[in-house]
Each structure stands twice: as C-alpha cells, then as structure tokens.
Amino acid sequence: MSQTADPNPRGTDQGHHPDEPLYDVAVVGAGAVGLAAALALARDGVRTALVGRHAPVADGRTVALLDGSVRLLRALGAWEALEPQAAPLAEMHLIDDTGSLFRPPPARFVAREIGLDAFGWNIENARLVEALRARAREIPDLTLIEHDAAGRTLAEDRAVLALEGGGSVAARLVVAADGGGSPLREAAGLTARRWTYPQKALTTILAHTRDHREVSTEFHTREGPFTLVPLPGGRRSSLVWVSAEARAERLAALNDATLAAAIERQAQSMLGAMRIDGPRGLVPMRGLSVPRPVGPRLALVGEAAHVFPPIGAQGLNLGIRDAAALRDAVAGARDAGADAVLSGFARGRALDARLRTGAVDTLNRSLLTAFLPSDLARGAGLLALSTIAPLRRLVMREGVTPRLGTPTLMRG
C-alpha cells in the first residue's frame, strides 16, 4: 500500500545522506496529470513520491478522455471506478455558425468508422482526480506527501525539494506537474513562450429535455467555439462556451434561468430546454509552450510544458501522453534523472506538443477573423473532411491517438 505521511524512508545509494529521503522520482503536483505520472511510474516499481496538496476545484469543468488516455487509465487500474461516471462520445459534429459567406455543411465524425465504440469518454474533472487519488493510495512504491514544494536545489546525483512547513524530499528526478505558472519551471530558468486571446471560456453542467444520443456538438462562432459534450444519463451535458471577454463576463453574471435560456438559443434548441445543473467556471484563454521541457534533473509535464485553449479535447490528453511517455523514458534506467533519459523524453514530446498547440491555435484564431481567405480555408477543410472518407478517417485516428511515438501503455 502507498504511504501518506511526511516521508522518512532511507535510501541505500552510495553517497546518499543517511537522514534524507531518496526516491527515484518525485512528482510535484496532485492534479490529474501529476497523479497519472506518479501511478505510471510506481506501477513499474519505480520508487515515487507525489508531492502536493489534494484540492480539486468544482468549476463545472469536464474532460473528454480520448481512447489512448482511457487505455492508460485501464493499465493503471483506475478505469473500472471511472467508467460508470463517464459518458461515451460516439459521434462528434462540427457546425459552422460564423455567418461566413462560405458556410460548409456540418461535419459528422463517427467513432465506428475507425473501429471504435467511442472517440473517448467525458467525465467531470473533480471525479477523475478523486478516482486517481484513491488508486494512488493503493499502490506500493508510491508515497503521498500532502505538502506543497517550496523550492528545489541540485546535488551531483539528486535534486532536493524543500517542503512548506519544513522537511525535504530528495529524488533522482523531479517531475513538474505544477501547472501553467509552474514555480519549478520558472526557478529552473526554462524558456517559455506565452500568449493570450481576447476570450474567456464559460464552463458549466447542463440538464436538457432531449437526449444527446452520445453526440458531442461544437458550434464554430465568430467569438470562438461553443461546445456541448455528453454526460451520463442521456439528458446532461457539459458546456464550454468560448466568447469575447466582455460577453463571457456578462454571461457569467446572469442568474441560472437567464443563462440557461441564452445557452438554449446559442445551441439552436437542439437539446431542448436547458437548466443549469452544476457549478460554473470562467477560464481565461491563454497559451504557453516550452521548446525543451527538461532541465537538470527536471522534466515538465502537462500545463507546466504546454497550455492552450479548451478546444478539441487536446489539452489534458496531451498531458496524459506526457505522463505515459515519461514512464517509457524512465523504464529500466539506473538513474531516472540522467541527461540521456531526459534528452530522450524531450525529443519524444516536442513534435506532439508542437502539432497539438499549433492546430488548436490556428483553429481558434481563424474563427476570430472575418478575413475571407481564412473563412474559405476553414470551410474548405471542413468540407473535405465531410466528403473525403480516407482523409476523415486519418484525421479521426490522429486526433484520438497519434500514430508516431505513442507511449507503450496507450497503444491498442
């Protein structure tokens, strides 16, 4: 069983200070990506510490776990508890609602066309974190240290994390899963490129009078995507409504009944009458990328390495691939923080992160401009996906699980 305490195991490596805990890997950050990384490593007997307080926020956000991510969760022994709380995404519909002169017909993507029952499963983020946390408590070789990290220093063969309130943790490798503002990344001086969008995303959970039929629908509007994603029960969905900052703030200030009516109008009443059925969140739209997500005895995963808008279900799934790829890089290594291990991890993640970030950024920016050539290009792309079956299947497969560099535990 995993431990939950201030750590005091004794390392046995030559040169190790006898009073200082030593792990192969210390993961900092107790969100979904940090938990997945810690579980994937400890599953293979890697001595792992998970450092961070468990404090999920109820903000109406859900995550669409794509097929590869679900494969990893199965391998980690976490999916059995999650599956009853998740809704399958059997179809995805894209609808152009920009008012463009060139308006293509809706694009329809069906999972069975590529041999899957579902592209993925939608689940409330807080439930995902809670289930992963429960699984972490069951795993040998995984110690849960419920304190925030206060800083990191380097020694020749290890990194040492200071803990808030006192104490320290030493590990061959520190994994920063500490979010977009990552203190570990900033302290290490790793270069990050940042950008913002003139938008915010309103998130909440809805009840509606018509069945969603396991169809996720994304309306492309001139202010950003408006997306309805199924939740269990047939008549509940999650909402991500990206719009101009001022409008998003006005929407967030509405009472439940008025907001529900506005959502129903924007959704063209496709799911009938709406009712707000969960907490709300208001998320700034921003981006961040780190060209080389490693430093001395440090690896970045999840939003510490890349941030982009909640469009196309790519953000968390990319972070989960980071976690699975880190497990592959560390597997069998005598020193988890060795330069060769980290260089291999960085090479494997660079292309995946660059492609996903670029695709989401391009789509979002194309919606914000009324420039006719941009509308034509976007519309022609949707039309091609609707009418050219081999292209559509290729895009669907690549969106669910990339063919190149797929981590071992995410392969079919």
Side-chain angles (χ1 to χ4, degrees), residues 213-301:
R213 298 175 291 110
E214 300 177 355
V215 176
S216 177
T217 304
E218 183 170 291
F219 292 84
H220 289 173
T221 81
R222 193 55 81 191
E223 293 186 358
F226 170 95
T227 308
L228 296 165
V229 191
L231 283 170
R235 297 196 174 186
R236 294 179 79 237
S237 295
S238 61
L239 169 73
V240 179
W241 188 351
V242 178
S243 59
E245 289 178 288
R247 186 185 188 198
E249 290 166 0
R250 287 196 301 271
L251 289 167
L254 297 175
N255 63 44
D256 281 0
T258 306
L259 176 60
I263 294 168
E264 182 183 345
R265 284 194 301 272
Q266 186 67 49
Q268 301 175 10
S269 297
M270 62 178 299
L271 294 178
M274 298 283 191
R275 175 172 56 83
I276 306 301
D277 197 36
R280 307 184 197 182
L282 193 60
V283 184
M285 301 292 280
R286 58 196 174 92
L288 178 146
S289 67
V290 180
R292 182 171 168 79
V294 297
R297 298 200 174 272
L298 179 68
L300 310 183
V301 297

Coordinates of all heavy atoms in Angstrom, one line a residue, residues 213-301:
R213 N -27.8 11.6 -27.2 CA -27.5 10.4 -28.1 C -26.0 10.2 -28.3 O -25.5 9.7 -29.3 CB -28.2 10.6 -29.5 CG -29.7 10.6 -29.4 CD -30.3 10.9 -30.8 NE -30.0 12.3 -31.2 CZ -29.2 12.6 -32.2 NH1 -28.6 11.7 -32.9 NH2 -29.0 13.9 -32.5
E214 N -25.2 10.5 -27.2 CA -23.8 10.3 -27.2 C -23.1 11.1 -28.3 O -22.0 10.7 -28.8 CB -23.4 8.8 -27.3 CG -24.0 8.0 -26.1 CD -23.7 6.6 -26.2 OE1 -23.2 6.1 -27.2 OE2 -24.1 5.9 -25.2
V215 N -23.7 12.3 -28.7 CA -23.1 13.1 -29.7 C -22.5 14.4 -29.1 O -23.2 15.1 -28.3 CB -24.1 13.5 -30.8 CG1 -23.6 14.5 -31.8 CG2 -24.7 12.3 -31.5
S216 N -21.3 14.7 -29.3 CA -20.7 16.0 -28.9 C -20.8 16.9 -30.1 O -20.4 16.6 -31.2 CB -19.2 15.7 -28.6 OG -18.6 17.0 -28.2
T217 N -21.3 18.1 -29.8 CA -21.5 19.1 -30.9 C -20.7 20.4 -30.6 O -20.8 20.9 -29.5 CB -23.0 19.4 -31.0 OG1 -23.8 18.2 -31.2 CG2 -23.3 20.4 -32.1
E218 N -20.0 20.8 -31.6 CA -19.2 22.1 -31.5 C -19.7 23.1 -32.5 O -19.5 22.8 -33.7 CB -17.7 21.7 -31.6 CG -16.8 22.9 -31.5 CD -15.3 22.5 -31.4 OE1 -15.0 21.9 -30.4 OE2 -14.6 22.8 -32.3
F219 N -20.2 24.2 -32.1 CA -20.6 25.3 -33.0 C -19.4 26.2 -33.1 O -18.9 26.7 -32.1 CB -21.8 26.1 -32.4 CG -23.1 25.3 -32.4 CD1 -23.4 24.5 -31.3 CD2 -24.0 25.4 -33.4 CE1 -24.6 23.8 -31.3 CE2 -25.2 24.8 -33.4 CZ -25.5 23.9 -32.4
H220 N -19.0 26.5 -34.3 CA -17.9 27.5 -34.5 C -18.5 28.8 -34.7 O -19.2 29.1 -35.7 CB -17.1 27.1 -35.7 CG -16.2 25.9 -35.5 ND1 -15.5 25.2 -36.5 CD2 -16.0 25.2 -34.4 CE1 -14.8 24.2 -36.0 NE2 -15.1 24.2 -34.7
T221 N -18.4 29.7 -33.7 CA -18.9 31.1 -33.8 C -17.8 32.1 -34.1 O -16.6 31.7 -33.9 CB -19.7 31.4 -32.5 OG1 -18.8 31.9 -31.5 CG2 -20.5 30.3 -32.0
R222 N -18.2 33.3 -34.4 CA -17.2 34.3 -34.6 C -16.4 34.7 -33.4 O -15.3 35.3 -33.5 CB -17.8 35.5 -35.3 CG -16.9 36.5 -35.9 CD -16.0 35.9 -36.9 NE -16.6 35.7 -38.2 CZ -16.0 35.0 -39.2 NH1 -14.9 34.4 -39.0 NH2 -16.6 34.9 -40.4
E223 N -16.8 34.3 -32.2 CA -16.1 34.6 -31.0 C -15.4 33.4 -30.4 O -14.6 33.6 -29.4 CB -17.1 35.2 -29.9 CG -17.6 36.6 -30.3 CD -18.5 37.2 -29.2 OE1 -18.6 36.5 -28.1 OE2 -19.0 38.3 -29.3
G224 N -15.6 32.3 -31.0 CA -14.9 31.1 -30.5 C -15.9 29.9 -30.5 O -17.1 30.0 -30.8
P225 N -15.4 28.7 -30.2 CA -16.3 27.5 -30.2 C -17.3 27.5 -29.0 O -17.0 27.9 -27.9 CB -15.3 26.4 -30.1 CG -14.0 26.9 -30.4 CD -14.0 28.3 -30.0
F226 N -18.4 27.0 -29.3 CA -19.5 26.7 -28.3 C -19.7 25.2 -28.3 O -20.2 24.7 -29.4 CB -20.8 27.5 -28.7 CG -22.0 27.2 -27.9 CD1 -22.3 27.9 -26.7 CD2 -22.8 26.1 -28.2 CE1 -23.5 27.6 -26.0 CE2 -24.0 25.8 -27.5 CZ -24.3 26.5 -26.4
T227 N -19.4 24.5 -27.3 CA -19.3 23.0 -27.3 C -20.2 22.4 -26.3 O -20.1 22.8 -25.1 CB -17.8 22.6 -27.2 OG1 -17.0 23.3 -28.1 CG2 -17.7 21.1 -27.4
L228 N -21.0 21.4 -26.7 CA -21.8 20.6 -25.8 C -21.3 19.2 -25.8 O -21.2 18.6 -26.9 CB -23.3 20.7 -26.2 CG -23.9 22.1 -26.1 CD1 -25.2 22.1 -26.9 CD2 -24.2 22.5 -24.7
V229 N -21.0 18.7 -24.6 CA -20.3 17.3 -24.6 C -21.2 16.5 -23.6 O -21.5 16.9 -22.5 CB -18.9 17.4 -24.1 CG1 -18.2 16.1 -24.2 CG2 -18.1 18.5 -24.8
P230 N -21.5 15.2 -24.1 CA -22.4 14.4 -23.3 C -21.9 14.0 -21.9 O -20.7 13.9 -21.7 CB -22.6 13.1 -24.2 CG -22.2 13.6 -25.5 CD -21.2 14.6 -25.4
L231 N -22.8 13.9 -21.0 CA -22.5 13.3 -19.7 C -23.4 12.1 -19.5 O -24.4 12.0 -20.2 CB -22.7 14.4 -18.6 CG -21.6 15.4 -18.4 CD1 -22.0 16.5 -17.5 CD2 -20.3 14.8 -17.9
P232 N -23.2 11.3 -18.5 CA -24.0 10.1 -18.3 C -25.5 10.5 -18.0 O -25.8 11.5 -17.5 CB -23.4 9.4 -17.0 CG -22.0 9.9 -17.0 CD -22.0 11.3 -17.6
G233 N -26.4 9.6 -18.5 CA -27.8 9.7 -18.2 C -28.6 10.2 -19.4 O -29.8 10.1 -19.4
G234 N -27.9 10.6 -20.5 CA -28.6 11.0 -21.7 C -29.1 12.4 -21.8 O -29.1 13.0 -22.9
R235 N -29.4 13.0 -20.7 CA -30.0 14.3 -20.7 C -29.2 15.3 -19.8 O -29.8 16.3 -19.3 CB -31.5 14.3 -20.3 CG -32.3 13.5 -21.3 CD -33.8 13.7 -21.2 NE -34.5 13.0 -22.3 CZ -35.8 13.1 -22.5 NH1 -36.5 13.8 -21.7 NH2 -36.3 12.4 -23.5
R236 N -27.9 15.1 -19.7 CA -27.0 16.0 -19.1 C -25.8 16.2 -20.0 O -25.3 15.2 -20.6 CB -26.5 15.6 -17.7 CG -27.6 15.5 -16.7 CD -27.1 15.0 -15.4 NE -26.3 16.0 -14.6 CZ -25.1 15.9 -14.2 NH1 -24.3 14.9 -14.5 NH2 -24.5 16.9 -13.5
S237 N -25.3 17.4 -20.1 CA -24.1 17.7 -20.9 C -23.3 18.7 -20.2 O -23.7 19.5 -19.4 CB -24.5 18.3 -22.3 OG -25.2 17.3 -23.1
S238 N -22.0 18.8 -20.6 CA -21.1 19.8 -20.1 C -21.0 20.9 -21.2 O -21.1 20.6 -22.4 CB -19.7 19.3 -19.7 OG -19.1 18.7 -20.8
L239 N -20.7 22.1 -20.8 CA -20.7 23.2 -21.7 C -19.3 23.9 -21.6 O -18.8 24.1 -20.5 CB -21.7 24.3 -21.4 CG -21.6 25.6 -22.1 CD1 -22.0 25.5 -23.6 CD2 -22.4 26.7 -21.4
V240 N -18.7 24.2 -22.8 CA -17.6 25.1 -22.9 C -17.9 26.1 -23.9 O -18.0 25.8 -25.1 CB -16.3 24.4 -23.3 CG1 -15.1 25.4 -23.4 CG2 -15.9 23.3 -22.3
W241 N -18.2 27.4 -23.4 CA -18.6 28.4 -24.3 C -17.5 29.5 -24.4 O -17.4 30.3 -23.4 CB -19.9 29.0 -23.8 CG -20.6 30.0 -24.7 CD1 -20.1 30.6 -25.9 CD2 -21.9 30.6 -24.6 NE1 -21.0 31.4 -26.4 CE2 -22.1 31.5 -25.7 CE3 -22.9 30.4 -23.6 CZ2 -23.3 32.2 -25.8 CZ3 -24.1 31.2 -23.8 CH2 -24.3 32.0 -24.9
V242 N -16.8 29.5 -25.4 CA -15.7 30.5 -25.6 C -16.3 31.7 -26.3 O -16.9 31.6 -27.4 CB -14.6 29.9 -26.5 CG1 -13.5 30.9 -26.7 CG2 -14.0 28.6 -25.8
S243 N -16.1 32.9 -25.7 CA -16.6 34.1 -26.3 C -15.7 35.3 -25.9 O -14.8 35.1 -25.1 CB -18.1 34.4 -25.9 OG -18.2 34.5 -24.5
A244 N -16.0 36.4 -26.5 CA -15.2 37.6 -26.2 C -15.3 37.9 -24.7 O -16.3 37.6 -24.0 CB -15.8 38.8 -26.9
E245 N -14.2 38.4 -24.1 CA -14.1 38.5 -22.7 C -15.3 39.3 -22.0 O -15.8 38.8 -21.0 CB -12.8 39.3 -22.3 CG -11.5 38.5 -22.6 CD -10.3 39.3 -22.3 OE1 -10.0 40.2 -23.0 OE2 -9.6 39.0 -21.2
A246 N -15.6 40.4 -22.6 CA -16.8 41.1 -22.0 C -18.0 40.3 -22.0 O -18.8 40.3 -21.1 CB -16.9 42.5 -22.8
R247 N -18.3 39.7 -23.1 CA -19.5 38.9 -23.2 C -19.5 37.7 -22.2 O -20.5 37.4 -21.6 CB -19.7 38.4 -24.6 CG -21.1 37.7 -24.8 CD -21.3 37.1 -26.2 NE -22.6 36.6 -26.4 CZ -22.9 35.7 -27.3 NH1 -22.0 35.2 -28.2 NH2 -24.2 35.3 -27.5
A248 N -18.4 37.0 -22.2 CA -18.2 35.9 -21.2 C -18.5 36.4 -19.8 O -19.2 35.7 -19.0 CB -16.9 35.3 -21.4
E249 N -18.0 37.5 -19.4 CA -18.2 38.0 -18.1 C -19.7 38.4 -17.8 O -20.2 38.2 -16.8 CB -17.3 39.2 -17.8 CG -15.8 38.8 -17.7 CD -14.9 40.0 -17.8 OE1 -15.4 41.2 -18.0 OE2 -13.7 39.8 -17.8
R250 N -20.3 38.9 -18.9 CA -21.8 39.2 -18.7 C -22.6 37.9 -18.6 O -23.5 37.9 -17.7 CB -22.3 40.0 -20.0 CG -21.8 41.5 -20.0 CD -22.7 42.2 -21.0 NE -22.6 41.7 -22.4 CZ -21.7 42.0 -23.3 NH1 -20.7 42.9 -23.0 NH2 -21.7 41.5 -24.5
L251 N -22.2 36.9 -19.4 CA -22.9 35.6 -19.3 C -22.7 35.0 -17.9 O -23.7 34.5 -17.3 CB -22.4 34.7 -20.3 CG -22.8 35.0 -21.8 CD1 -22.0 34.1 -22.7 CD2 -24.3 34.7 -22.0
A252 N -21.5 35.1 -17.4 CA -21.2 34.5 -16.1 C -22.0 35.2 -14.9 O -22.2 34.6 -13.9 CB -19.7 34.6 -15.8
A253 N -22.4 36.5 -15.2 CA -23.1 37.2 -14.1 C -24.6 37.0 -14.1 O -25.3 37.4 -13.2 CB -22.8 38.7 -14.3
L254 N -25.1 36.3 -15.2 CA -26.6 36.1 -15.3 C -27.0 35.1 -14.2 O -26.3 34.2 -13.8 CB -26.9 35.5 -16.7 CG -26.6 36.4 -17.9 CD1 -26.9 35.7 -19.2 CD2 -27.4 37.7 -17.8
N255 N -28.3 35.2 -13.9 CA -28.9 34.2 -13.0 C -29.1 32.9 -13.8 O -29.0 32.9 -15.0 CB -30.2 34.6 -12.3 CG -31.3 34.9 -13.4 OD1 -31.5 34.2 -14.3 ND2 -32.0 36.0 -13.2
D256 N -29.4 31.8 -13.1 CA -29.4 30.5 -13.8 C -30.4 30.4 -14.9 O -30.1 29.9 -16.0 CB -29.7 29.4 -12.7 CG -28.5 29.0 -11.9 OD1 -27.4 29.6 -12.2 OD2 -28.6 28.1 -11.0
A257 N -31.6 30.9 -14.6 CA -32.7 30.8 -15.6 C -32.3 31.6 -16.9 O -32.5 31.1 -18.0 CB -34.0 31.3 -15.1
T258 N -31.8 32.8 -16.7 CA -31.4 33.6 -17.9 C -30.3 33.0 -18.7 O -30.3 33.0 -19.9 CB -31.1 35.1 -17.4 OG1 -32.2 35.6 -16.6 CG2 -30.9 36.0 -18.6
L259 N -29.3 32.5 -17.9 CA -28.2 31.9 -18.6 C -28.6 30.7 -19.4 O -28.2 30.4 -20.5 CB -27.1 31.5 -17.6 CG -25.9 30.8 -18.1 CD1 -25.2 31.6 -19.2 CD2 -24.9 30.4 -17.0
A260 N -29.5 29.8 -18.8 CA -29.9 28.6 -19.4 C -30.7 29.0 -20.7 O -30.5 28.3 -21.8 CB -30.8 27.8 -18.5
A261 N -31.4 30.0 -20.7 CA -32.1 30.5 -21.9 C -31.2 30.9 -23.0 O -31.3 30.6 -24.2 CB -33.1 31.6 -21.6
A262 N -30.1 31.6 -22.6 CA -29.1 32.1 -23.6 C -28.4 30.9 -24.2 O -28.1 30.9 -25.4 CB -28.1 33.0 -22.9
I263 N -28.1 29.9 -23.4 CA -27.4 28.7 -23.9 C -28.3 28.0 -24.9 O -27.9 27.5 -25.9 CB -27.0 27.8 -22.7 CG1 -25.9 28.4 -21.8 CG2 -26.5 26.4 -23.2 CD1 -25.7 27.8 -20.5
E264 N -29.6 27.8 -24.5 CA -30.5 27.2 -25.4 C -30.6 27.9 -26.8 O -30.6 27.2 -27.8 CB -31.9 27.1 -24.8 CG -32.9 26.4 -25.7 CD -34.3 26.4 -25.1 OE1 -34.5 26.7 -23.9 OE2 -35.3 26.1 -25.9
R265 N -30.6 29.2 -26.8 CA -30.6 30.0 -28.0 C -29.3 29.7 -28.8 O -29.4 29.5 -30.1 CB -30.8 31.5 -27.8 CG -32.2 31.9 -27.4 CD -32.3 33.4 -27.4 NE -31.4 34.1 -26.6 CZ -31.6 34.4 -25.3 NH1 -32.7 34.0 -24.7 NH2 -30.7 35.0 -24.6
Q266 N -28.2 29.7 -28.2 CA -26.9 29.5 -28.9 C -26.9 28.1 -29.4 O -26.3 27.9 -30.5 CB -25.8 29.8 -27.9 CG -24.4 29.8 -28.6 CD -24.2 30.9 -29.5 OE1 -24.5 32.1 -29.2 NE2 -23.8 30.6 -30.8
A267 N -27.5 27.2 -28.8 CA -27.5 25.8 -29.2 C -28.6 25.5 -30.2 O -28.7 24.3 -30.6 CB -27.6 24.8 -28.0
Q268 N -29.3 26.5 -30.6 CA -30.4 26.4 -31.6 C -31.4 25.4 -31.2 O -32.0 24.7 -32.0 CB -29.8 26.0 -33.0 CG -28.8 27.0 -33.5 CD -28.1 26.6 -34.8 OE1 -28.5 25.7 -35.4 NE2 -27.1 27.4 -35.2
S269 N -31.6 25.3 -29.8 CA -32.6 24.4 -29.2 C -32.4 22.9 -29.6 O -33.4 22.1 -29.5 CB -34.0 24.9 -29.5 OG -34.3 26.1 -29.0
M270 N -31.2 22.5 -30.0 CA -31.1 21.1 -30.5 C -31.2 20.1 -29.3 O -31.6 19.0 -29.6 CB -29.7 21.0 -31.1 CG -28.5 21.2 -30.1 SD -26.9 21.0 -31.0 CE -27.1 19.2 -31.4
L271 N -31.0 20.5 -28.1 CA -31.2 19.6 -26.9 C -32.4 20.0 -26.1 O -32.6 19.6 -25.0 CB -30.0 19.6 -26.1 CG -28.7 18.9 -26.7 CD1 -27.5 19.0 -25.8 CD2 -29.0 17.5 -27.2
G272 N -33.3 20.9 -26.6 CA -34.5 21.3 -26.0 C -34.2 22.4 -24.9 O -33.2 23.0 -24.9
A273 N -35.1 22.4 -23.9 CA -35.0 23.4 -22.8 C -33.8 23.0 -22.0 O -33.6 21.9 -21.7 CB -36.3 23.5 -22.0
M274 N -33.1 24.1 -21.5 CA -31.9 23.9 -20.7 C -32.1 24.3 -19.3 O -32.9 25.2 -19.0 CB -30.7 24.7 -21.3 CG -30.3 24.4 -22.7 SD -29.3 22.9 -22.7 CE -28.7 22.9 -24.4
R275 N -31.3 23.7 -18.4 CA -31.3 24.0 -16.9 C -29.9 23.9 -16.4 O -29.2 22.9 -16.7 CB -32.3 23.1 -16.1 CG -32.2 23.4 -14.6 CD -33.3 22.6 -13.9 NE -33.2 21.2 -14.2 CZ -32.4 20.3 -13.5 NH1 -31.6 20.8 -12.6 NH2 -32.4 19.0 -13.8
I276 N -29.4 24.9 -15.7 CA -28.1 24.9 -15.1 C -28.1 23.8 -14.0 O -28.9 23.8 -13.1 CB -27.6 26.2 -14.5 CG1 -27.8 27.3 -15.6 CG2 -26.2 26.1 -14.0 CD1 -26.9 27.1 -16.9
D277 N -27.1 22.8 -14.1 CA -27.2 21.7 -13.2 C -25.8 21.4 -12.6 O -25.5 20.3 -12.2 CB -27.6 20.4 -14.0 CG -28.1 19.3 -13.1 OD1 -28.7 19.6 -12.1 OD2 -27.8 18.1 -13.5
G278 N -25.1 22.5 -12.4 CA -23.7 22.3 -11.7 C -23.1 23.6 -11.6 O -23.6 24.7 -11.9
P279 N -21.9 23.6 -11.0 CA -21.2 24.9 -10.7 C -20.7 25.5 -12.0 O -20.7 24.8 -13.1 CB -20.0 24.4 -9.9 CG -19.8 23.0 -10.2 CD -21.1 22.4 -10.5
R280 N -20.3 26.7 -12.0 CA -19.8 27.5 -13.2 C -18.3 27.8 -13.0 O -17.8 27.9 -11.9 CB -20.5 28.8 -13.4 CG -22.0 28.7 -13.4 CD -22.6 30.1 -13.7 NE -24.0 30.2 -13.4 CZ -24.7 31.3 -13.6 NH1 -24.0 32.4 -14.1 NH2 -25.9 31.4 -13.3
G281 N -17.6 28.0 -14.1 CA -16.3 28.5 -14.1 C -16.1 29.5 -15.2 O -16.9 29.5 -16.2
L282 N -15.1 30.3 -15.1 CA -14.8 31.3 -16.2 C -13.3 31.2 -16.3 O -12.5 31.6 -15.4 CB -15.2 32.7 -15.7 CG -15.3 33.8 -16.8 CD1 -16.2 33.4 -18.0 CD2 -15.7 35.1 -16.3
V283 N -12.8 30.8 -17.5 CA -11.4 30.4 -17.7 C -10.8 31.4 -18.7 O -11.3 31.5 -19.9 CB -11.3 29.0 -18.3 CG1 -9.9 28.6 -18.4 CG2 -12.1 28.0 -17.4
P284 N -9.8 32.1 -18.4 CA -9.1 33.0 -19.4 C -8.5 32.1 -20.5 O -8.0 31.0 -20.2 CB -8.0 33.6 -18.5 CG -8.4 33.5 -17.1 CD -9.2 32.2 -17.0
M285 N -8.4 32.6 -21.7 CA -7.9 31.9 -22.8 C -6.5 32.3 -23.0 O -6.2 33.5 -23.3 CB -8.7 32.2 -24.0 CG -10.2 31.8 -23.9 SD -10.4 30.0 -23.8 CE -10.3 29.6 -25.5
R286 N -5.6 31.4 -22.9 CA -4.1 31.7 -23.0 C -3.4 30.5 -23.6 O -3.9 29.4 -23.7 CB -3.6 32.1 -21.6 CG -3.8 31.0 -20.6 CD -3.6 31.4 -19.2 NE -3.9 30.4 -18.2 CZ -3.0 29.6 -17.7 NH1 -1.8 29.6 -18.0 NH2 -3.4 28.6 -16.8
G287 N -2.1 30.8 -23.9 CA -1.3 29.7 -24.4 C 0.1 29.8 -23.9 O 0.6 30.9 -23.5
L288 N 0.8 28.7 -23.8 CA 2.1 28.6 -23.3 C 2.8 27.4 -24.0 O 2.2 26.3 -24.1 CB 2.2 28.5 -21.8 CG 3.5 28.4 -21.1 CD1 3.5 29.1 -19.8 CD2 3.9 26.9 -20.9
S289 N 4.0 27.6 -24.4 CA 4.8 26.4 -24.9 C 6.2 26.5 -24.4 O 6.8 27.6 -24.3 CB 4.7 26.3 -26.4 OG 5.4 27.4 -27.0
V290 N 6.8 25.4 -24.2 CA 8.2 25.3 -23.7 C 9.0 24.5 -24.7 O 8.7 23.3 -24.9 CB 8.3 24.7 -22.3 CG1 9.8 24.6 -21.8 CG2 7.5 25.4 -21.3
P291 N 9.9 25.1 -25.5 CA 10.6 24.4 -26.5 C 11.3 23.1 -26.1 O 11.3 22.1 -26.8 CB 11.6 25.4 -27.1 CG 11.0 26.7 -26.7 CD 10.3 26.5 -25.4
R292 N 11.9 23.2 -24.9 CA 12.6 22.0 -24.4 C 12.2 21.8 -23.0 O 12.6 22.5 -22.0 CB 14.1 22.2 -24.5 CG 14.9 21.0 -24.0 CD 16.4 21.1 -24.3 NE 17.2 20.1 -23.6 CZ 17.4 18.9 -24.0 NH1 16.8 18.5 -25.1 NH2 18.1 18.0 -23.3
P293 N 11.3 20.8 -22.7 CA 10.6 20.7 -21.4 C 11.4 19.9 -20.4 O 10.9 19.1 -19.6 CB 9.3 19.9 -21.8 CG 9.7 19.0 -22.9 CD 10.7 19.8 -23.7
V294 N 12.7 20.1 -20.4 CA 13.6 19.4 -19.4 C 14.7 20.4 -19.0 O 15.1 21.3 -19.7 CB 14.2 18.1 -19.9 CG1 13.2 17.1 -20.3 CG2 15.1 18.4 -21.2
G295 N 15.2 20.1 -17.8 CA 16.4 20.8 -17.3 C 17.2 19.8 -16.4 O 16.8 18.6 -16.4
P296 N 18.2 20.3 -15.7 CA 19.0 19.4 -14.9 C 18.1 18.7 -13.8 O 17.5 19.3 -13.0 CB 20.0 20.3 -14.2 CG 20.1 21.4 -15.1 CD 18.8 21.6 -15.7
R297 N 17.9 17.4 -14.0 CA 17.1 16.5 -13.1 C 15.7 17.0 -13.0 O 15.1 16.9 -11.9 CB 17.8 16.4 -11.7 CG 19.1 15.7 -11.8 CD 19.6 15.1 -10.6 NE 20.9 14.3 -10.9 CZ 20.9 13.0 -11.2 NH1 19.8 12.4 -11.3 NH2 22.1 12.5 -11.5
L298 N 15.2 17.6 -14.1 CA 13.8 18.1 -14.1 C 13.1 17.8 -15.4 O 13.7 18.0 -16.5 CB 13.9 19.6 -13.9 CG 12.5 20.4 -13.9 CD1 11.7 20.0 -12.6 CD2 12.8 21.9 -13.9
A299 N 11.9 17.4 -15.3 CA 11.0 17.2 -16.5 C 9.7 17.8 -16.3 O 9.1 17.7 -15.2 CB 10.8 15.7 -16.8
L300 N 9.2 18.5 -17.3 CA 7.9 19.2 -17.3 C 6.8 18.3 -18.0 O 7.1 17.8 -19.0 CB 8.0 20.5 -18.0 CG 9.1 21.5 -17.6 CD1 8.9 22.8 -18.4 CD2 9.2 21.7 -16.1
V301 N 5.7 18.2 -17.4 CA 4.5 17.5 -18.0 C 3.3 18.4 -17.8 O 3.2 19.2 -16.9 CB 4.3 16.1 -17.3 CG1 5.5 15.2 -17.6 CG2 4.0 16.2 -15.8

